[in-house]
Each structure stands twice: as structure tokens, then as C-alpha cells.
Amino acid sequence: MTRRHVPWLLLALLVLIQICYPLTAGGTRARLTVATVVLGYLLAVGHALLTRGPRTAAALVAVATGGGFAIEALGVATGFPFGSYDYSGELGPKLAGVPLIIPLAWTWMAWPAWLAAVRLTTRPGRGPDAASAGAATPGWAGHVGRVALATVGLAGWDLFLDPQMVAEGYWVWRDATPALPGLPGIPVSNYLGWLLFAVLLMSALRPLAGPAVAVTGSRDDPMFTLYLWTYFSSVLAHAVFLRLPASALWGAAGMAVVAVPLAVTLLRARRRPADRPTPARTGVDTPA
């Protein structure tokens, strides 16, 4: 097995666990939730390490995992920026009132959301992956647009996540008003808090991770697949299996901002094989 196969293997295991999730209940479902987050974390960080090297992986862990824990600890202690809430004990051990898997979840979806935004805001060049970094990297205005798209790509996921986790009793809000129509139990401040932290996370990732994260190629197909799988499977699961039709609609609309253009872009690229970057040589990919 080559390093290119590792992300695909982890993704296959993740998909299998998520398929099993709606077929279970109680403690088994909680354990599958923890397993899903841990596996998703290993997938995201492992992909960053294998495709772009230690600097990128370290930056992702610092801003998404470290930052995720910090913002969650602040939220539990003060109610800012998400609102006042408490975690149950079903998600494993806590530190400062925050289950340790929570910052892992931020990391799990932050990486594919960033790569999707990069894919949508660059014109893929010819030649080895990341070799055309200079031609593909946008200017300052383009970077702002990329950060905004990545922010929406990550925060839109919470329109699925919070309703599902609140329905399972994994966390509870002390004051859930005002709430989005059809999504009681979760204040609007939660989604605004997601947007705030997501924009900070995405703004910090590129400077810390370096130019290797400014381009994408065929090596990133597992992350694009993860993002699209998360979108389409969440719509189906919420609408049919979890009986959460309102979050199915809200999540479908929120994540569609990134997921639908990404799906269209990838389909078009498959129809024009000459436009797809040539696979990189074995080893850690670095920009030219």
C-alpha cells in the first residue's frame, strides 16, 4: 500500500461507520460518534501530512485543534461566542468542560472545507500537483474570497451537526432563543459563533501552513470526496433515518454554497482529462 492509498482506506472506514450510525442507538451510537470523529481527525491530519508535510499538518493541528479547544473552553465558561451550553458525559473525557473529541471535529471538517475553497478559487494548472502554484494563487482580494468560501464551507456543516447532536442529548443549551425556524433548542448565536471562529481559523491557516496549501490537485481527491459525502449523506440521513427534516433543509442549503459548485467543478474536470493535474511523484508534495 502506498501513501496515496492511506487516505482512501481511512475514508472507506469512516463511511462504513457513518452508515452504521443511524442503525444503532444509545451507548453504541455514542461510541460510533466518538469513533467517527477520531477517524475523521486522523484522515484530515494524515492527509495534510502525507501530501504537504509536517509544517502543514502542524499548522492544521495548531489552528483547528488547538484553536477549537480554546474557543470551546471559552464558550463553556462564558457563553461567548456560541451562547450558554453544557456538554453531557456521553462523548468521553472532558478538559475544562469540553469533551476532548470536540476540537478534533473542528479539524476533521476544516481541512476538506479549506481544500474545497482552494479548488473553487483557482484554475488547476498542468504538470505535477502544486507545481503551478505561482500561476494559480490568487491575489489579496482572491484570498479574502477564498477565506470567506472556506468559512461558509465549514460553518454550513453545523446546520447538520448541532441539530443532530442536540437531538442525541450530547449537549444542551441553557437559553435557545432566538432559534432558526424548525430548529428549536439551538440559538442563532451558535451559528454566528461558528462563522466567527471559522473565519479566524481559515484566515490563520494559509500564513501558518505555507504556500503548499494554496493549490490543489489529484492528491486531494479523498478530501473532496469526504466533503461531498458529508453533504449528500447528511441530507439523506437527516431527512430519512434521523427524522430531522428541518435540519436536512437548512444543512442542504448551507453546505450547498460549497458542495454544489465543488461537485460541478469536479465533474467538469473529469470530462476534460487534459485539464487535470498530472499525479505527483511519490513523496511529500511541495510547491515549486
Side-chain angles (χ1 to χ4, degrees):
M1 179 186 298
T2 68
R3 65 176 62 207
R4 278 181 169 265
H5 295 134
V6 172
W8 286 112
L9 175 60
L10 292 175
L11 178 59
L13 292 174
L14 178 64
V15 169
L16 178 61
I17 292 175
Q18 289 183 318
I19 289 174
C20 294
Y21 176 89
L23 306 178
T24 62
T28 300
R29 181 172 285 190
R31 287 188 289 273
L32 286 180
T33 299
V34 173
T36 298
V37 173
V38 171
L39 193 56
Y41 182 79
L42 294 175
L43 172 58
V45 176
H47 178 269
L49 177 63
L50 291 173
T51 61
R52 289 166 175 85
R55 175 181 174 179
T56 296
L60 178 63
V61 170
V63 300
T65 311
F69 174 77
I71 198 73
E72 291 284 352
L74 178 66
V76 169
T78 69
F80 176 84
F82 306 107
S84 297
Y85 61 102
D86 291 299
Y87 286 103
S88 72
E90 296 187 65
L91 295 179
K94 301 179 186 179
L95 179 62
V98 180
L100 295 179
I101 70 160
I102 296 300
L104 307 190
W106 282 102
T107 313
W108 163 31
M109 285 304 296
W111 183 236
W114 170 261
L115 292 177
V118 172
R119 182 65 177 85
L120 292 174
T121 54
T122 55
R123 184 180 68 257
R126 301 176 188 275
D129 289 341
S132 55
T137 303
W140 182 84
H143 179 67
V144 171
R146 174 177 292 175
V147 168
L149 194 60
T151 295
V152 174
L154 175 58
W157 176 53
D158 190 53
L159 292 165
F160 289 120
L161 179 66
D162 249 286
Q164 180 179 336
M165 297 297 102
V166 168
E168 294 296 335
Y170 296 154
W171 55 81
V172 62
W173 298 90
R174 299 183 191 126
D175 182 3
T177 57
L180 293 176
L183 298 181
I186 307 162
V188 171
S189 60
N190 171 67
Y191 305 110
L192 297 177
W194 267 73
L195 286 170
L196 173 62
F197 179 61
V199 74
L200 295 175
L201 188 163
M202 298 305 179
S203 297
L205 183 59
R206 168 60 178 84
L208 292 176
V213 300
V215 288
T216 59
S218 59
R219 60 190 177 163
D220 299 318
D221 286 349
M223 293 297 99
F224 300 146
T225 303
L226 170 61
Y227 194 84
L228 294 177
W229 159 258
T230 300
Y231 176 66
F232 290 110
S233 66
S234 294
V235 173
L236 176 63
H238 282 238
V240 178
F241 297 104
L242 301 179
R243 299 180 181 178
L244 297 170
S247 59
L249 292 174
W250 280 105
M255 280 191 77
V257 175
V258 172
V260 172
L262 178 63
V264 171
T265 298
L266 295 176
L267 285 173
R268 286 177 176 172
R270 290 182 64 86
R271 293 171 185 169
R272 297 193 301 270
D275 291 339
R276 289 176 60 82
T278 302
R281 291 183 292 272
T282 302
V284 172
D285 299 313
T286 56

